[in-house]
Amino acid sequence: LGEELAGRAGIALENARLFGEATRAVSARDNLLSVTSHELRTPVTSLKLQLQMARRQLKAGKVEPAALERSLDISIKQVDRLNSLIEDLLNFSSVSAGKMRYHFARNDVAAIVSETLERHAESARIGKTPMKQTGLASLEAEVDPLRFGQVVENLVTNALKYGAGGPVELELREAGLDFTLRVRDQGIGIAPDKLNTVFERYERVGPTQGISGFGLGLYVSRAFVQAHGGTITVESTPGKGSCFTVKMPLRQGLA
Ligand SMILES: Nc1ncnc2c1ncn2[C@@H]1O[C@H](COP(=O)(O)OP(=O)(O)O)[C@@H](O)[C@H]1O
Ligand SMILES: [Mg+2]
């Protein structure tokens, strides 16, 4: 009888644990849905406003090129914002479902870095943020170009979002059997006790109000880098800036 009771108590405890887990999962999902809708609606609202303004100008027959250009610049920025939010969500859902597939091949990682910078040249110009690439101008490494590109993309977007308009530098180096990519900004920085937190999912630290994001980019980036057998770390001084370092092997399957 003692065993029987212990068994039932065990089942009751297990049920309570499962119920607790399910409740937490539901509330995490509800929270994610509400944050997601809010984040996505903000750029859509702004985009619609800009398009209505452009439409009104046309209709009134007084197109002011400077005002129109400004509207279009803002519109492009909002579409970029939406795109990067959607990208974060898609990547996050694949990574957390364990469904991400990697295709490693020899690639010029310096070229992937410069392509990413070129994609952001327009928003850097609008925000008057100087961006430069230093170190190796060409470097062959065995990476998944899409995933490595998304890591660079997220680090550059973060440097632009949290970099307070200061210069952004991307530095590529060879280091023995590895290569390193450092992304430096001179922005708001990260408090010492939050340096590890930023890689956790949904975690946004410091003053992020008004800056779009889900807090998923670094979580996904870390998963991508680890799938390459690499590491991602950060050093930062609040108010002075941050430096993210990605270190990945030049060849896969040697470790
Ligand atoms: N370059 C940076 N400077 C200062 N803080 C940063 C920087 N990059 C990331 N962070 C902090 O880490 C958090 C997580 O980054 P990330 O996962 O890319 O999420 P998101 O960009 O969507 O907010 C950010 O919300 C921000 O608080
Ligand atoms: Mg980000």
Side-chain angles (χ1 to χ4, degrees):
L1 181 74
E3 253 174 47
E4 165 86 16
L5 276 179
R8 286 197 192 174
I11 291 171
L13 277 177
E14 178 62 8
N15 282 344
R17 191 186 63 80
L18 289 176
F19 181 73
E21 253 176 35
T23 317
R24 272 191 298 279
V26 168
S27 94
R29 188 202 60 196
D30 288 353
N31 187 34
L32 179 64
L33 281 178
S34 94
V35 172
T36 307
S37 332
H38 176 79
E39 279 294 313
L40 295 176
R41 194 159 59 195
T42 312
V44 169
T45 307
S46 161
L47 185 57
K48 178 150 188 205
L49 200 77
Q50 297 305 325
L51 292 176
Q52 284 170 333
M53 273 162 54
R55 179 84 180 72
R56 257 200 307 278
Q57 283 189 36
L58 270 177
K59 197 165 182 200
K62 327 185 258 233
V63 175
E64 290 172 36
L68 192 60
E69 191 180 347
R70 214 182 101 73
S71 276
L72 292 178
D73 275 351
I74 298 175
S75 303
I76 292 170
K77 222 174 129 184
Q78 301 311 323
V79 172
D80 285 345
R81 238 171 109 175
L82 272 175
N83 224 341
S84 107
L85 288 168
I86 293 167
E87 192 84 20
D88 279 0
L89 285 176
L90 285 175
N91 284 326
F92 174 66
S93 76
S94 306
V95 162
S96 55
K99 288 208 175 112
M100 193 54 81
R101 294 284 163 268
Y102 297 90
H103 305 282
F104 299 107
R106 286 177 69 110
N107 279 275
D108 183 352
V109 285
I112 297 177
V113 171
S114 52
E115 280 156 25
T116 310
L117 278 185
E118 268 158 41
R119 267 205 312 281
H120 288 279
E122 189 63 10
S123 37
R125 184 192 60 78
I126 296 170
K128 298 192 171 61
T129 307
M131 291 200 298
K132 68 170 176 191
Q133 183 173 352
T134 61
L136 297 170
S138 148
L139 176 66
E140 287 269 325
E142 210 175 326
V143 299
D144 180 325
L146 214 63
R147 305 309 161 207
F148 176 68
Q150 279 161 340
V151 172
V152 183
E153 166 74 25
N154 183 47
L155 294 177
V156 169
T157 323
N158 283 349
L160 290 172
K161 290 198 294 187
Y162 308 110
V168 173
E169 181 190 350
L170 284 85
E171 185 192 22
L172 192 63
R173 298 258 170 234
E174 213 174 315
L177 294 175
D178 301 309
F179 71 90
T180 58
L181 173 70
R182 293 202 161 78
V183 181
R184 278 193 203 89
D185 67 59
Q186 299 180 12
I188 62 176
I190 300 166
D193 62 323
K194 300 288 182 201
L195 289 175
N196 288 320
T197 315
V198 295
F199 296 102
E200 299 304 323
R201 57 188 163 174
Y202 309 128
E203 293 290 351
R204 309 191 73 204
V205 305
T208 54
Q209 302 95 315
I211 304 177
S212 78
F214 293 123
L216 295 175
L218 287 176
Y219 174 80
V220 166
S221 298
R222 187 180 57 175
F224 287 176
V225 171
Q226 285 173 347
H228 284 75
T231 56
I232 178 168
T233 51
V234 61
E235 290 162 86
S236 182
T237 310
K240 289 243 155 69
S242 310
C243 177
F244 284 82
T245 303
V246 171
K247 186 172 184 186
M248 303 211 300
L250 291 163
R251 303 276 168 271
Q252 289 297 312
L254 290 183

